[in-house]
Amino acid sequence: MRRIISILMENEPGALSRVVGLFSQRGYNIETLNVAPTDDATLSRLTLTTVGDDRIIEQITKQLNKLVDVVKVVDLTEGAHIERDMMLIKVRANGGAQRDEVKRTTDIFRGQIVDVGPNVYTIQLTGTGEKLDSFVAAMAEAEILEVVRSGIAGISRGEKVLRL
Amino acid sequence: MEMLSGGEMIARALEDEGVEYIFGYPGGAVLHIYDALFKTSKIPHVLVRHEQAATHAADGYARATGKPGVVLVTSGPGATNAVTGIATAYMDSIPMVVLSGQVASHLIGEDAFQETDMVGISRPIVKHSFMVREPEEIPATIKKAFHIAASGRPGPVVIDIPKDATRPDAKFEYHYPDAVKIRSYAPAQRGHTGQIKKAARLLLSAKRPVIYAGGGVVQGEASGLLTELARELNYPVTNTLMGLGAYPGTDRQFLGMLGMHGLYEANMAMHHSDVILAVGARFDDRVTNTVSKFCPGAKIIHIDIDPTSISKTVNADIPIVGPVQSVLADLTEQVRQLRKKDTELPDPGALARWWQQIDEWRGDHGLWTGRRYGESDRIMPQQVIESLYRVTGGDAYITSDVGQHQMFAAQYYRFDQPRRWINSGGLGTMGFGLPAAMGAKLAFPDKEVACVTGEGSIQMNIQELSTCTQYKLPVKIINLRNNYLGMVKQWQDMQYEGRYAMSTYEDSLPDFTRLMEAYGHVGMQVTDLADLDTKMEEAFAMKDKLVFLDVFIDPMEHVYPMHVAPNGAMKDMWLSKNERT
Ligand SMILES: Cc1ncc(C[n+]2csc(CCOP(=O)(O)OP(=O)(O)O)c2C)c(N)n1
């Protein structure tokens, strides 16, 4: 099963490599990875998605917790949560019909065209990983030039917070 | 406040930490530190002959005393040479602080002379690591390193120190903190009361109980409590390779070591048990044999300080995370309360039948009571360990290398106390034994320290004979001489029809006796069984000499029992070359 694991860790050099190293060293996989400092500049928030059965996920969370730089770990998929992935996608858009088609699909997915060139559109789209996948599929007719995704960031719904 | 340079702060902080010995080797990146040590430090420094030996010696010291071992090495090759010893300590959860020099900060990343990314290289084999950025951080970093290394589940910590952080002309205010708080690091202090109550009930409901205790009991200083609980309940106890000594080896309730080369009665009792109390053990693959066939009828209570050890390979029915000492104390208390209410707990009839069964197993194939070992006109390796046991009164610190000799020592030397058996269990590092013996001897100069080894292993760190000369370390080396990489040969006999691919070197072994003499030590050969005890006594009678006893044993002997693999259960064992369960 796919899980979204969110980590609060020291914003220290080396902390990220310990987390990533743990995954390769123990044979766990990382599907997406997103990391940035939080409002508290001494802490980073790292969110990753991985797949594994319950035993593996339990080991992953325990192993992460054991890392000295890691302050807190939560498996967001255990409760109600919001997940967002952000994509920037550059497609070829030549001639009126093609440009209209791209624009229409972008509107349907509530994306925004953030850059326009004579032959290309760059579209920004935010949503669940699934939504972004569908958008890419819907763009199959157009020529996709480049895709960049932030990786899933997530947060629990309601009162639950991941803080010190 | 006192003003000290980075190098001086290191020297002082180690003193303030109460460090007794530094094991190390100098080089460019640590010369400021060495100079500061030379000028100011009262801590004796042991100059090894290879950095790997520095880590093993510090490790041997740590295992013998329970205090962190301290290592100082230079950057680049000094640091990489230390890696095997760090990994060895990591696998066995040994507290260690390794200070490695690094090139000056402005050179980092430029492939400077003797630059290597030590923090990166050591990352998967340390409990934690630090890179010093500012000299002012040195005292607090050292404090944190010792705290992390020694608390919770212990382990090695690396501090990488760029050369410029130690320069003598830049001075800083020195203050060594009394305590540290690390917000992201808080090992459990107590076990969960509800879980402990459940565990007490399950433990007392057992009809065929076994206590399975590992290195965590030794590291967690809980041998006394474990013994008390086991005796009170009259439950059988088995120890892992790492746990030998956690329960007295000569006690009637002791079943011996379990696992791949565990005793018949220990493995049989485990397999047929209905409740296993696992304490400070981690269900290692060398213990369980095939996990899916592991102890099918057993409910498992698992006490460990490290949550990742619990339900990692074998599922625990009652997991308890906490220091083994406090959890065992609480568990014993709960057991007593329950037994006050019901004196028929545990069921005395069932327990008597269980002991009867165990005694039968013992009588059939027990190493100490039933079957002995193969016989030939050669000296059998087991007889050497028995002789060593007799001559040292069972009271020596025994280190070992890795191979058949290690297993014979584990099976036949009966450790009555924790910390007396010092071996590389997790990583299985050949070359560990001699430097580890040096560390143990430095820690306990008045105790006998013997290294049980093979000609393969001893040659992996044989250069340390010179260190033993320099520091007058009269350890005894007992070489079980079979002229093979014996354990490799055993596997080749059993699985490769005796094709000895690269496991022989008979023609090229040195004359160990003359080699010892070259270093100023004593070498002796034993070829006749009749001389074994006398020579052994002679060796130990030379109190201030390192003696190397080269005992020519039957090279064809195998270590038994041995788990049948693959697909075997705990109970599936080879008992000799042609007998299996
Ligand atoms: C550093 C290292 N290299 C290789 C091995 C694999 N290995 C395990 S036991 C063994 C043979 C050990 O031979 P020896 O030290 O002579 O002991 P014996 O088995 O003969 O008692 C080898 C090569 C190891 N454990 N460690």
Side-chain angles (χ1 to χ4, degrees):
Chain A
M1 209 185 110
R2 189 190 72 129
R3 303 293 187 112
I4 305 172
I5 294 176
S6 218
I7 300 168
L8 211 53
M9 63 185 196
E10 297 292 348
N11 187 6
E12 294 268 349
L16 176 62
S17 77
R18 280 185 237 273
V19 171
V20 174
L22 175 74
F23 276 75
S24 60
Q25 173 192 344
R26 295 195 179 263
Y28 311 140
N29 65 7
I30 297 182
E31 300 212 320
T32 71
L33 177 69
N34 167 288
V35 55
T38 64
D39 57 325
D40 174 348
T42 66
L43 290 170
S44 286
R45 172 88 174 233
L46 182 151
T47 305
L48 59 83
T49 56
T50 184
V51 281
D53 58 22
D54 288 352
R55 178 187 287 272
I56 291 181
I57 299 298
E58 187 183 328
Q59 263 299 311
I60 290 177
T61 49
K62 284 176 174 179
Q63 292 285 359
L64 285 169
N65 260 314
K66 192 169 147 179
L67 294 175
V68 172
D69 288 331
V70 168
V71 186
K72 280 193 174 155
V73 179
V74 61
D75 177 352
L76 290 173
T77 21
E78 273 182 354
H81 63 278
I82 299 160
E83 61 167 279
R84 288 292 178 270
D85 196 349
M86 205 264 279
M87 175 163 68
L88 294 169
I89 175 168
K90 195 176 282 186
V91 295
R92 190 166 302 286
N94 287 329
Q98 208 182 7
R99 288 176 89 91
D100 284 352
E101 178 60 28
V102 169
K103 206 169 162 333
R104 213 171 18 252
T105 317
T106 303
D107 286 344
I108 292 170
F109 279 83
R110 298 198 197 167
Q112 291 160 285
I113 295 172
V114 290
D115 189 41
V116 182
N119 299 311
V120 295
Y121 274 159
T122 300
I123 302 147
Q124 173 191 314
L125 191 68
T126 308
T128 62
E130 239 170 39
K131 174 176 162 181
L132 303 197
D133 291 344
S134 325
F135 183 76
V136 173
M139 281 284 147
E141 298 288 291
E143 187 186 343
I144 296 174
L145 299 172
E146 194 176 340
V147 172
V148 50
R149 292 170 69 154
S150 63
I152 305 277
I155 198 162
S156 327
R157 285 190 184 274
E159 306 272 309
K160 225 169 122 186
V161 290
L162 184 62
R163 280 196 85 81
L164 262 189
Chain B
M1 205 173 270
E2 212 174 346
M3 301 297 285
L4 297 178
S5 72
E8 288 162 349
M9 287 199 283
I10 292 170
R12 178 65 70 78
L14 294 178
E15 271 179 24
D16 288 345
E17 195 53 50
V19 171
E20 282 185 308
Y21 291 102
I22 302 169
F23 300 90
Y25 209 94
V30 286
L31 284 181
H32 294 329
I33 303 176
Y34 270 94
D35 195 51
L37 287 171
F38 187 89
K39 288 198 296 209
T40 68
S41 176
K42 292 185 274 293
I43 307 173
H45 176 286
V46 178
L47 174 69
V48 291
R49 298 297 180 267
H50 185 297
E51 290 88 348
Q52 182 188 350
T55 51
H56 291 330
D59 183 325
Y61 169 87
R63 292 184 203 230
T65 60
K67 295 185 233 164
V70 178
V71 177
L72 174 57
V73 294
T74 192
S75 66
T80 54
N81 272 351
V83 165
T84 301
I86 298 173
T88 303
Y90 180 72
M91 289 296 277
D92 290 343
S93 313
I94 304 304
M96 182 185 288
V97 174
V98 179
L99 305 161
S100 56
Q102 183 54 276
V103 300
S105 18
H106 70 277
L107 293 173
I108 290 178
E110 296 188 352
D111 300 315
F113 177 64
Q114 295 195 326
E115 176 183 0
T116 194
D117 173 11
M118 182 55 173
V119 166
I121 286 179
S122 63
R123 201 205 66 240
I125 51 163
V126 294
K127 182 167 173 188
H128 195 57
S129 50
F130 295 94
M131 164 71 109
V132 170
R133 265 147 232 289
E134 304 296 336
E136 295 95 316
E137 297 169 4
I138 288 174
T141 303
I142 291 180
K143 184 78 203 174
K144 281 185 199 165
F146 276 89
H147 172 62
I148 292 171
S151 58
R153 178 177 181 174
V157 176
V158 164
I159 309 178
D160 205 33
I161 310 165
K163 184 166 184 180
D164 50 321
T166 60
R167 36 190 277 218
D169 55 343
K171 306 265 186 183
F172 305 87
E173 282 187 359
Y174 174 80
H175 164 73
Y176 197 63
D178 297 328
V180 274
K181 188 150 170 39
I182 304 171
R183 64 179 173 183
S184 56
Y185 175 74
Q189 299 298 318
R190 293 290 294 270
H192 187 279
T193 313
Q195 292 291 89
I196 294 173
K197 283 187 176 157
K198 269 202 254 170
R201 278 195 295 273
L202 178 61
L203 194 61
L204 289 176
S205 73
K207 300 201 165 5
R208 298 181 310 280
V210 181
I211 298 175
Y212 149 47
V217 177
V218 176
Q219 296 293 327
E221 306 288 357
S223 304
L225 283 166
L226 178 88
T227 308
E228 204 180 303
L229 178 63
R231 292 231 170 100
E232 183 157 333
L233 293 172
N234 187 28
Y235 281 6
V237 184
T238 175
N239 285 340
T240 66
L241 178 66
M242 294 311 300
L244 292 174
Y247 188 84
T250 52
D251 191 88
R252 182 191 61 87
Q253 280 168 248
F254 186 55
L255 305 180
M257 176 171 80
L258 81 171
M260 177 178 273
H261 291 297
L263 271 60
Y264 176 75
E265 56 268 48
N267 286 343
M268 293 299 273
M270 283 291 286
H271 185 85
H272 293 93
S273 65
D274 68 342
V275 174
I276 294 172
L277 173 63
V279 194
R282 60 188 179 90
F283 297 84
D284 173 271
D285 55 293
R286 283 293 195 267
V287 162
T288 57
N289 212 358
T290 313
V291 167
S292 57
K293 296 185 177 170
F294 179 74
C295 305
K299 286 250 182 292
I300 294 170
I301 303 163
H302 191 177
I303 304 170
D304 205 287
I305 184 72
D306 180 1
T308 69
S309 287
I310 292 180
S311 300
K312 179 169 61 180
T313 56
V314 171
N315 198 54
D317 297 283
I318 304 182
I320 305 172
V321 176
V324 285
Q325 209 182 55
S326 93
V327 176
L328 279 177
D330 292 349
L331 180 63
T332 306
E333 181 51 36
Q334 289 299 330
V335 162
R336 284 183 185 149
Q337 287 189 13
L338 287 173
R339 294 186 79 196
K340 244 186 249 158
K341 285 186 222 140
D342 184 350
T343 49
E344 291 289 283
L345 281 176
D347 176 349
L351 196 56
R353 282 193 296 281
W354 183 226
W355 270 115
Q356 193 181 354
Q357 170 68 77
I358 289 171
D359 286 338
E360 264 168 45
W361 285 326
R362 262 187 186 157
D364 290 346
H365 298 292
L367 287 185
W368 303 320
T369 50
R371 128 199 246 304
R372 304 296 292 176
Y373 27 78
E375 278 179 21
S376 75
D377 46 7
R378 313 286 298 262
I379 301 174
M380 300 309 288
Q382 298 90 337
Q383 294 172 313
V384 185
I385 307 297
E386 288 180 331
S387 171
L388 175 65
Y389 180 77
R390 274 195 301 276
V391 170
T392 56
D395 190 40
Y397 284 80
I398 305 291
T399 72
S400 97
D401 274 300
V402 175
Q404 291 182 310
H405 60 271
Q406 175 191 27
M407 292 301 132
F408 290 129
Q411 290 178 335
Y412 284 85
Y413 200 97
R414 304 178 67 169
F415 296 93
D416 275 336
Q417 292 172 69
R419 301 199 176 281
R420 295 304 171 99
W421 167 237
I422 295 175
N423 86 129
S424 164
L427 198 68
T429 309
M430 290 170 69
F432 175 80
L434 175 57
M438 297 175 355
K441 188 71 187 174
L442 284 161
F444 296 106
D446 300 332
K447 290 285 185 185
E448 295 295 0
V449 177
C451 165
V452 175
T453 189
E455 337 72 56
S457 294
I458 193 69
Q459 292 188 89
M460 282 213 181
N461 267 321
I462 198 154
Q463 74 288 345
E464 297 310 314
L465 288 169
S466 171
T467 313
C468 292
T469 311
Q470 182 171 357
Y471 297 95
K472 305 198 170 42
L473 299 175
V475 299
K476 307 294 181 261
I477 301 172
I478 314 298
N479 185 34
L480 300 192
R481 171 79 172 261
N482 52 14
N483 291 331
Y484 285 100
L485 294 173
M487 188 56 95
V488 172
K489 171 184 166 293
Q490 172 166 347
W491 284 52
Q492 289 168 336
D493 281 333
M494 295 175 76
Q495 295 171 25
Y496 301 91
E497 297 162 334
R499 290 185 297 279
Y500 299 147
M502 302 303 137
S503 53
T504 59
Y505 41 41
E506 185 168 0
D507 305 340
S508 54
L509 288 173
D511 177 337
F512 285 109
T513 302
R514 281 168 55 207
L515 185 67
M516 293 305 134
E517 283 162 7
Y519 280 107
H521 304 314
V522 177
M524 298 196 307
Q525 284 194 349
V526 189
T527 47
D528 283 329
L529 182 59
D531 300 336
L532 179 59
D533 277 346
T534 1
K535 291 268 173 75
M536 189 73 77
E537 274 160 21
E538 225 179 284
F540 280 90
M542 286 184 251
K543 288 282 172 220
D544 50 4
K545 280 282 178 196
L546 182 153
V547 183
F548 184 100
L549 208 59
D550 201 8
V551 190
F552 287 68
I553 57 165
D554 183 342
M556 299 317 284
E557 180 66 344
H558 287 176
V559 182
Y560 294 110
M562 180 165 175
H563 266 154
V564 173
N567 298 323
M570 280 298 276
K571 67 172 176 28
D572 299 322
M573 290 167 266
W574 286 99
L575 299 171
S576 71
K577 285 182 186 164
N578 39 35
E579 264 173 290
R580 50 167 291 185
T581 53

